[in-house]
């Protein structure tokens, strides 16, 4: 059975690094590129015998053949038409033959080589060879010569590569990257020629100087983009869309650099990315690798400060049976390096690679913070906290169902438990949707799913806050008796309108206003955007406003409790302090006061300590609600004891009845 392997590759070219490429490909059994020409050698064909034949007229070089299964198959081809007399637009009669100046497979410069003449003849844009190169056939010998020429140019020019030179260089490379030439790469004697080409293009691009405006040089088989970056930039991304296999079908590749990474850049720097739709297949043909490309190949030239970027690949083949892996191509050692990057997302349409392992859950503090602060500590807190909170909330709702009839006999207790149940229910739903959004987070590939998850996370967390506000208003109602004339039905309708109506309006307006312009989501997570549209304010502002109102409510409770102890004995004052402390402990999670720490993550989103405190307090909020809102409630404990006692009494009655029937059987006739 053939196993399939999908690989993705990216090139990092730092000043002290060799070429390293991450690539996307699909492994399968090696097939013949094309039927080899045969029957052209004289003599008897015996297995493993070889022969050499001259090239056709008007070409230089020779072809090598090998006999397999009594048939001659071509294995090498150096046939070429290009030379020093025809590579330029006008004859250079004073130049020695091209073969004496540029030696294939020998990578060093010589005085008066074709490269030297090229740089002397058209130093501004290298364009004086383009016309004749484009008119030359893409036969193996010509390909090898052009590869050598591009390599020599990349090593000869160390500075002063502007957009004009890069355009000419790309045009030359585009000629031999043509999809129609792929099979001919198989016959080039130097199997490393495709690696040399890739390294040469990237080395030349690394020397490209980007002035004021971004660079965008697009050819059919090579597309180069570049821009300058600095620490105060928002996210940067390069998006390529190129045709595959000479069809109208296009696949997309995307390079994404997050704002957090850009902050590491200490001075203005350049980022350059190059997309190739055919280089993967050419590498396969040259190296006889058992892999077949399944998307664009992306090269990225980064400043040394950047260590983590994301790559998003559209797949050519949409098979769901292919497993995906990110690896790196080490050009010096000519091998795949599996330690280079990791796959973080994949579906049948796309795959995403990142240079660091992904985190399943985005930090809980992202709900308030404008930017993601990745830390293993925050990840573990979120893992543990959400797990415990979800279990606690389920237990809380179960207890409320058990004791509902016993603890809701008065109007005020009924309304109080309505608020607690809805706080627990909405927080449970919010936590569940937070987990769903975390699975979809990353460079956004499940866009519609991510929009839906973000909407529900936004809606349910806002509902949590508005039900907490309803709880606070009920406390004020109990203290000040403001709404004593309102009937119970009106109060219940008002609570539900406040708890669900207001969040629905806010969440609906937010997505309707920002999603048409693609400003609803963050690039790196399924949550409200900050940099483009400030959509995050639609959560932060109402949440923190409610926290302020609830803090005022707690303050009024403390003041009332303290006044009750004025003029009393020391013992009563101590009891009042205990009551105050208990009230604070109970009301803080129930009224969401822990979310007040979100102010710190908004103001200073880079300090890890604030994020840790915020995540600890709020990831465990469901547990706090269970403890302080349910278990510590005397009436709930009493009702639970009553249920337990009733269950025991019922059990005893059942035992007695069973005993009566077993100990006094009916006496039969003697």
């Amino acid at each position: 059975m053939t196993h399939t392997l999908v690989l993705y590759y990216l090139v990092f070219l730092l000043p002290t690094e060799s070429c390293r490429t991450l690539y996307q490909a699909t492994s399968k059994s090696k097939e013949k590129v094309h039927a080899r020409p045969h029957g052209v050698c004289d003599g008897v064909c015996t297995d493993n015998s070889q022969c050499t034949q001259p090239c056709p007229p008007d070409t230089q070089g020779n072809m090598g053949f090998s006999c397999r299964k009594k048939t001659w198959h071509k294995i090498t081809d150096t046939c070429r038409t290009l030379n020093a007399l025809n590579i330029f637009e006008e004859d250079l009669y004073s130049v020695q033959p091209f073969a004496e100046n540029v030696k294939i497979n020998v990578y060093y410069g010589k005085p008066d080589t074709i490269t030297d003449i090229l740089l002397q003849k058209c130093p501004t844009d290298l364009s004086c060879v383009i016309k004749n190169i484009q008119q030359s056939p893409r036969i193996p010998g010509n390909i090898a010569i052009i590869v050598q020429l591009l390599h020599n140019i990349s090593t000869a020019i160390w500075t002063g590569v502007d957009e004009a030179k890069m355009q000419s260089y790309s045009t030359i490379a585009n000629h031999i990257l043509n999809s129609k030439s792929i099979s001919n790469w198989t016959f080039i004697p130097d199997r490393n020629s495709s690696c040399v080409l890739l390294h040469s293009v990237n080395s030349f691009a690394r020397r490209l100087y980007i002035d004021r405006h971004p660079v965008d040089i697009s050819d059919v088989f090579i597309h180069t983009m570049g821009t300058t970056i600095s620490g105060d930039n928002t996210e940067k991304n390069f998006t390529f869309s190129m045709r595959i296999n000479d069809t109208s079908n296009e696949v997309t590749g995307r390079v994404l650099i997050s704002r957090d990474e850009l902050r590491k850049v200490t001075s203005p720097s350049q980022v350059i990315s190059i997309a190739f739709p055919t280089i993967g297949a050419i590498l396969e043909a040259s190296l006889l690798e058992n892999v077949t490309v399944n998307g664009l190949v992306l090269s990225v030239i980064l400043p040394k400060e950047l260590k983590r970027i994301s790559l998003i690949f559209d797949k050519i083949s949409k098979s769901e049976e292919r497993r995906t892996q990110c690896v790196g191509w080490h050009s010096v050692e000519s091998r795949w390096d599996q330690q280079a990057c990791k796959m973080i997302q994949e579906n049948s349409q796309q795959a995403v690679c990142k240079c660091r392992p992904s985190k399943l859950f985005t930090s809980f503090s992202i709900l308030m913070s404008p930017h993601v602060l990745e830390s293993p500590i925050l990840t573990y807190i979120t893992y543990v906290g959400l797990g415990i909170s979800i279990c606690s909330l389920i237990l809380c709702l179960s207890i409320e169902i058990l004791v509902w009839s016993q603890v809701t006999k008065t109007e005020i207790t009924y309304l109080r438990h309505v608020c607690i149940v809805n706080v627990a229910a909405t927080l449970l739903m919010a936590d569940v949707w937070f987990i769903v959004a975390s699975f979809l987070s990353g460079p956004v590939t499940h866009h519609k799913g991510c929009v839906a998850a973000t909407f529900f996370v936004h809606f349910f967390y806002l509902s949590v806050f508005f039900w907490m506000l309803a709880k606070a208003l009920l406390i004020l109602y109990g203290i000040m008796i403001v709404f004593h004339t309102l009937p119970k039905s009106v109060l219940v309708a008002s609570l539900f309108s406040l708890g669900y109506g207001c969040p629905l309006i806010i969440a609906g307006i937010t997505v309707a206003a920002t999603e048409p312009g693609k400003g609803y989501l963050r690039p790196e997570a399924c949550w409200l955007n900050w940099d483009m549209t400030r959509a995050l304010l639609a959560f932060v502002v109402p949440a923190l406003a409610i926290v302020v109102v609830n803090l005022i409510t707690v303050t009024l409770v403390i003041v009332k409790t303290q006044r009750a102890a004025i003029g009393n004995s020391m013992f009563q004052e101590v009891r009042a302090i205990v009551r105050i402390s208990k009230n604070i402990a109970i009301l803080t999670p129930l009224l969401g006061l822990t979310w007040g720490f979100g102010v710190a993550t908004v103001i200073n989103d880079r300090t890890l300590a604030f994020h840790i405190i915020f995540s600890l307090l709020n990831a465990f909020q469901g547990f706090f609600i269970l403890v302080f809102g349910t278990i510590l409630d005397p009436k709930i404990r009493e009702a639970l004891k009553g249920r337990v006692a009733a269950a025991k009494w019922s059990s005893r009655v059942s035992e007695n009845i069973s005993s009566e029937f077993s100990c006094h059987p009916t006496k039969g006739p003697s």
Side-chain angles (χ1 to χ4, degrees), residues 489-504:
S489 59
V490 174
L491 287 173
V492 171
S494 301
L495 292 177
F496 275 86
S497 298
L498 180 65
Y500 292 112
C502 293
L504 184 61

Side-chain angles (χ1 to χ4, degrees), residues 173-349:
N174 185 73
H175 181 69
I176 56 175
L177 288 169
N178 192 296
S179 58
K180 296 178 181 178
S181 70
I182 293 174
S183 60
N184 286 333
W185 285 81
T186 307
F187 306 119
I188 299 175
D190 179 17
R191 296 298 184 189
N192 204 41
S193 56
S194 57
C195 298
V196 172
L197 174 64
L198 181 60
H199 180 72
S200 300
V201 172
N202 291 322
S203 296
F204 193 78
R206 190 177 67 184
R207 302 183 182 100
L208 174 63
Y209 174 72
I210 301 174
D211 195 6
R212 297 180 180 178
H213 305 290
V215 170
D216 190 342
I217 301 170
S218 179
D219 287 293
V220 178
F221 302 102
I222 178 173
H223 187 178
T224 303
M225 290 185 183
T227 189
T228 56
I229 61 172
S230 59
D232 58 353
N233 284 142
T234 57
E235 286 84 2
K236 289 289 184 181
N237 71 82
F238 301 102
T239 301
F240 303 91
S241 185
M242 306 182 79
R243 289 189 301 164
I244 299 292
N245 299 331
D246 297 325
T247 67
S248 59
N249 297 327
E250 292 189 346
V251 295
T252 299
R254 185 181 177 197
V255 178
L256 177 65
I257 307 173
S258 68
R259 177 170 178 170
D260 287 340
E261 279 298 300
L262 291 174
R263 287 183 173 181
K264 299 175 183 177
V265 179
T266 56
S267 59
S269 305
Q270 296 185 172
V271 173
I272 299 169
S273 184
I274 310 171
F276 306 87
T278 57
I279 193 67
I282 289 172
L283 284 167
E284 175 197 3
S286 298
L287 302 174
L288 302 180
E289 290 282 341
N290 293 324
V291 291
T292 301
V293 171
N294 197 30
L296 295 181
V297 173
L298 299 178
S299 296
V300 182
I301 302 166
L302 302 170
K304 60 184 179 181
E305 294 91 346
L306 298 183
K307 301 297 183 182
R308 181 181 66 242
I309 66 173
S310 300
L311 303 174
I312 308 173
F313 296 92
D314 278 354
K315 294 181 180 180
I316 301 171
S317 173
K318 311 299 184 184
S319 173
E320 296 183 356
E321 298 178 357
R322 296 177 174 177
R323 64 187 182 93
T324 301
Q325 184 181 15
C326 291
V327 299
W329 173 256
H330 200 301
S331 63
V332 174
E333 300 179 7
S334 296
R335 63 176 179 85
W336 302 119
D337 183 358
Q338 296 185 1
Q339 303 301 317
C341 281
K342 299 293 183 182
M343 177 64 56
I344 62 171
Q345 283 184 337
E346 182 193 13
N347 56 37
S348 62
Q349 305 295 318

Side-chain angles (χ1 to χ4, degrees), residues 13 33 90 98 101 449 663:
L13 290 176
V33 177
E90 56 183 341
F98 183 77
N101 290 278
C663 294

Side-chain angles (χ1 to χ4, degrees), residues 602-670:
V602 173
I603 296 174
N604 188 348
D605 63 344
R606 306 304 301 171
T607 302
L608 181 60
F610 293 154
H611 287 262
I612 291 176
I613 295 172
F614 182 81
S615 293
L616 277 171
L617 293 174
N618 294 290
F620 288 88
Q621 187 172 11
F623 174 73
F624 296 147
I625 289 174
L626 171 66
V627 173
F628 297 108
T630 302
I631 295 177
L632 292 182
D633 189 323
K635 292 184 179 180
I636 290 180
R637 292 204 305 272
E638 183 179 348
L640 284 174
K641 288 179 182 179
R643 291 297 298 260
V644 171
K648 288 182 178 179
W649 182 83
S650 176
S651 176
R652 288 176 182 175
V653 170
S654 298
E655 290 177 0
N656 291 335
I657 293 174
S658 176
S659 176
E660 287 290 333
F661 278 96
S662 63
C663 294
H664 300 280
T666 303
K667 188 176 181 180
S670 55

